[in-house]
Amino acid sequence: MNYAEIKYCDIANGTGVRTTLFVSGCRLRCPHCFNEVAWDFSAGKPFTREVEDDLIASLETPFVAGLSVLGGEPMEPENQEGLVGFLERVRGRFPREGEGAGANGDAGAKTIWMYSGHTFEQLAPGGAWNLGEVTDRILDTLDVLVDGPFVQAEHDITLRFCGSANQRIIDVPATLAADGDVVVWEDDPVFSTHAM
């Protein structure tokens, strides 16, 4: 797997200050995609163990709220294979809020967000883009999935953390526990009181 870019101190792709990984490769090729350069699977650089280690080190910083993964398309089969072990490393080192200390006990809880042009239903067990154990393992690491393709006709700059109104911001652990019902992530209420 290759990655197109890494952004440290990103505030656009999830809550708080985040480390953001943009993987390479996307077959969806949504018209007007903001990141066409990442459609090519060979774009960027190889995603090595050293790159993983650097990303995890960046998450040790107390003010960093978590990791976001975008693309390209993280849920392309090649990228799922390339990401699953890394995401499990991140989740093993940084617990969810209320799940206790990580391996070193000092960096606190972190969230993992992923953006996919595929819907949750396509990625869930039995869905057309679920590859079995690999996809299930990835979903188990996620806190939030922003799902669905970018649709230019539904583009809305007032939306927080997504680009078009068809996209959903999904609470993945709650959805996995809800036996088939998608549970939408709840933003801080202060943001719903502001209009653009």
Side-chain angles (χ1 to χ4, degrees):
M1 182 183 87
N2 277 14
Y3 71 96
E5 185 177 5
I6 294 170
K7 289 186 179 181
Y8 299 98
C9 296
D10 180 19
I11 59 169
N13 297 297
T15 55
V17 176
R18 311 187 68 76
T19 294
T20 300
L21 169 67
F22 293 84
V23 300
S24 298
C26 181
R27 294 179 179 93
L28 293 172
R29 301 180 177 236
C30 301
H32 306 284
C33 171
F34 81 101
N35 202 16
E36 287 184 33
V37 67
W39 288 357
D40 184 348
F41 283 88
S42 63
K45 300 175 184 174
F47 189 66
T48 64
R49 182 73 174 201
E50 290 75 22
V51 174
E52 288 187 23
D53 292 344
D54 287 345
L55 288 165
I56 289 171
S58 77
L59 295 170
E60 298 283 349
T61 307
F63 67 77
V64 175
L67 173 72
S68 294
V69 183
L70 297 87
E73 173 53 58
M75 293 306 249
E76 289 287 2
E78 301 90 330
N79 292 338
Q80 287 191 44
E81 291 287 344
L83 285 169
V84 64
F86 168 64
L87 293 173
E88 288 177 337
R89 282 185 71 197
V90 172
R91 180 52 67 213
R93 173 63 189 90
F94 303 101
R96 288 187 172 96
E97 191 71 41
E99 289 188 354
N104 297 331
D106 56 26
K110 306 286 179 175
T111 59
I112 302 175
W113 284 49
M114 181 177 282
Y115 286 70
S116 176
H118 302 293
T119 65
F120 181 85
E121 290 82 0
Q122 291 171 321
L123 297 170
W129 279 90
N130 184 289
L131 304 180
E133 180 186 357
V134 171
T135 310
D136 295 344
R137 286 166 57 196
I138 288 173
L139 291 175
D140 284 342
T141 68
L142 302 181
D143 295 287
V144 173
L145 175 71
V146 182
D147 82 337
F150 174 74
V151 176
Q152 179 65 34
E154 297 191 49
H155 178 57
D156 183 347
I157 63 169
T158 68
L159 298 173
R160 191 157 128 93
F161 305 132
C162 55
S164 57
N166 62 295
Q167 296 172 317
R168 300 175 294 182
I169 305 175
I170 296 171
D171 182 326
V172 176
T175 298
L176 291 174
D179 197 28
D181 293 327
V182 171
V183 179
V184 176
W185 172 78
E186 293 186 26
D187 200 352
D188 187 316
V190 71
F191 294 104
S192 66
T193 65
H194 293 80
M196 293 186 77

